[in-house]
Amino acid sequence: MFRKVKKVMILIVFIFFALFFVTSSAFADRGIVLALSGGGAKGLAHIGVIKALEEEGVKIVGIVGTSMGAIVGGLSASGYDGAEIERIFRDLDLYELFWDGRDGNSPSSAERPIIRLSYDEESRIMGRMGIIEGRDLYGEMLKYASHIKTYDFMKLPVPFAAVATDLETGEMVVITKGNLASAMRASMALPGIFSPWLYDGKLLIDGGLVANLPVRVAKNIFPGYPVLAIDVTGKLVKKEEIRSMIDVLGQTVGIMTAKNVEEDLQYADAVVRPAVDDISLMDFSNIDELIERGARATFEQMDQIKALVVKVVDDEQPLKNPIVKDIRLTGIPDIQKSFTRERRSWIGRPLDMKEVNNTLLELLKHDRVAMADYKLIEEDEKVIVEYVVKRKPQKEYAFSGYSTNISSDNRWATLEYMQRDLWDSGDEARLQFWLGENFFARASYVGSEGSNWRFESSLAFQDWEITPENYGKVSWKRYFAYLGFDNVGEDYISFSGGIAFDHVDDGKDEHHWGPMIKFSYKNKKDDKSAGYFETEGLFWYPEGETLLGRVVFASSLPLGDEWSAAISGGVEKGDASTPAWAAYLGGYGEMLGRLGHPVMAENAAWVRVSLQNALARGWWGKLEPEIFGAIGYALDDDWRRIQELWEVGIGVNIPNRIIDLSVFALYDDRSDWTFGFSVGTPPVSYGPVMP
């Protein structure tokens, strides 16, 4: 009897293990299709869903995404796993990218007009079509999508489609070919927040307006496979919970999408709803919590998900990209010939998507390019690569301002007019007025690029009166002219050289001319943890005078997720015998406590260090407490120290989408506490030359 029982037990165990291995082997060949909804920041929960499915070995055989679902889904489809996508979003720093070309740290990108009016070639006003243009976000998406080898999304490691809405017709647009980064950006163009996106001749907005949870699209593209719907739309809230513009926007989006979401839910084979109702549409600060909630909601339904999966039919064919027939560029004729000539080697070779994407990234860095994309035109079993460029507006009027409670000498209203393509394609003319206690005006002209060099000229007038601490009141009128050539280099390097003429009326009525050189360098690495470094300098040798010049630098290094260290400084070679050419220590960006009351010297040197904390950040701007210290030296003609200045203090910087605000308290070498504030960014600093 015992032997029979033993045999039965062995047989049962054998059958169990056989079934286990058969099931496991079969499950490895099974998969599902994901329908990822839009939801703004709530869509970060999609990352947790993907990570949970990967952990349980559930194969994803297709993805259809809307809005943020298109971003996460597109990255996943291109080959990134869940952990890599999480790392990408941590590195992206979305709040910085929302500033559209202004990183918030770099001095060269700090000034921003309060009002800007743009006009096209037909003198029609071109207004902003969204709070966020999304240019920088698009550029980052391009970098992360540059590794893909095909323009057909159905041939990605995981077949993919993005859903958008045609702004002209209101119809759904399902994108399955082309530029993956552009498709993702078009799908998330939430009206009012992000500007519409031009894609393949259509002006597209957020796909959530027609299919926020694209289950039916997924069923049509991937027939026969079960569709797992990931719904992060969120529920409508009570009026008591609507307390901000973003809350209003979130509720409006919820109202617009509620109907199409309910219709699509009827076709889903299973639904995962992460708990995201308490997360705001633009609150990207809760990435850890959102990912965890997405994973948790998925694990809770994992048994149901595994029961749905079907066997995957492996019909994968070797990837073969078509042969390039031609290269085209539209929208910027001044570089069209050189652009296509440099890429003639593409013709006759298989399409290299990495080359195509890297070229697009180069175009986006061009001074004249506001936005750029490409389209692939299939013709005679070959493909034409056509880059489509949207140029910066032909005419622009800008107004900005600056004010501080420390000195009336540092209160400005700034007016600027700029016209591109004035005489030929690619040139630029600019007229600037700085109005305040002092006055400055400048007219400048830059010719078309040509072969890396372009003509540069400027004519300026300055009517200045200041009161240095060590000298008494000084004033001058100054006329300045510069003619030269500017080198248009790559990688943020520029160089120019020419002849400068200066006439100063300060009681001596002097004028001089001589050679001048200028340079600038910016190092903004893709790796955000590396920070940035930039420097610029100017040297002028007027006839019969000493060498004049100024070199300044600024650098920043992140210290973890919330803190960053910054250092800036400079050296100035002047001539105190002429106030307009003197070195002034204590101007803006050097020593806050000397605003309006600098120290005049032959030469000067200074350095400023600070620690900043990203206390609060959002789509609206930042709240950044700062601890700073600075030291500067006024020097004689032999570079001997004649006066030392220092200050330490604390402050709060509040850059935002309306106007920048700073408040501070500092203690300096005069044993004084100074409490102050400033609004805006000053347009000038005290300096020996003004080209």
Side-chain angles (χ1 to χ4, degrees), residues 458 478 480-485 495-502 514-518 537-542 548 689-691:
S458 64
R478 186 176 191 221
F480 192 93
Y482 172 78
L483 299 174
F485 288 91
F495 173 84
S496 71
I499 299 294
F501 175 85
D502 193 325
M516 175 178 287
I517 59 172
K518 299 182 291 179
L538 182 151
F539 298 96
W540 183 36
Y541 198 5
L548 305 174
V689 291
M690 280 190 193

Side-chain angles (χ1 to χ4, degrees), residues 247-322:
D247 292 335
V248 173
L249 179 62
Q251 187 81 339
T252 304
V253 171
I255 294 170
M256 290 189 297
T257 61
K259 183 177 180 181
N260 67 59
V261 168
E262 286 300 318
E263 291 175 350
D264 268 288
L265 279 172
Q266 302 174 34
Y267 297 89
D269 296 283
V271 182
V272 173
R273 283 195 178 95
V276 294
D277 291 334
D278 60 327
I279 303 297
S280 175
L281 192 70
M282 296 293 287
D283 183 7
F284 293 91
S285 63
N286 298 290
I287 183 170
D288 292 323
E289 181 67 21
L290 284 164
I291 292 174
E292 194 277 329
R293 292 184 189 184
R296 187 195 314 150
T298 307
F299 282 125
E300 289 173 355
Q301 299 191 53
M302 191 59 69
D303 290 341
Q304 180 187 1
I305 294 170
K306 289 182 177 180
L308 285 172
V309 296
V310 297
K311 188 170 183 177
V312 178
V313 179
D314 187 9
D315 59 351
E316 184 176 348
Q317 300 293 324
L319 182 62
K320 292 183 179 180
N321 279 336

Side-chain angles (χ1 to χ4, degrees), residues 440-445 455-462 477-484 497-504 510-518 538-542 581 688-691:
F440 180 72
R442 176 167 57 196
S444 59
Y445 175 81
F455 175 71
E456 180 184 9
S457 65
S458 64
L459 179 65
F461 172 72
Q462 180 186 23
K477 290 182 174 62
R478 186 176 191 221
Y479 306 85
F480 192 93
Y482 172 78
L483 299 174
I499 299 294
F501 175 85
D502 193 325
H503 177 84
V504 179
E510 297 179 315
H511 62 269
H512 295 275
W513 66 274
M516 175 178 287
I517 59 172
K518 299 182 291 179
L538 182 151
F539 298 96
W540 183 36
Y541 198 5
W581 295 350
V689 291
M690 280 190 193

Side-chain angles (χ1 to χ4, degrees), residues 500-543:
F501 175 85
D502 193 325
H503 177 84
V504 179
D505 183 5
D506 61 351
K508 300 180 182 179
D509 199 26
E510 297 179 315
H511 62 269
H512 295 275
W513 66 274
M516 175 178 287
I517 59 172
K518 299 182 291 179
F519 72 88
S520 67
Y521 171 76
K522 300 179 185 179
N523 178 17
K524 294 188 178 182
K525 300 179 180 179
D526 295 340
D527 180 8
K528 302 299 183 183
S529 63
Y532 74 84
F533 174 81
E534 65 181 45
T535 182
E536 62 180 32
L538 182 151
F539 298 96
W540 183 36
Y541 198 5
E543 174 202 12

Side-chain angles (χ1 to χ4, degrees), residues 454-475:
R454 58 184 179 180
F455 175 71
E456 180 184 9
S457 65
S458 64
L459 179 65
F461 172 72
Q462 180 186 23
D463 189 353
W464 226 250
E465 183 178 286
I466 58 176
T467 308
E469 290 185 358
N470 62 336
Y471 199 83
K473 184 176 293 185
V474 294
S475 62

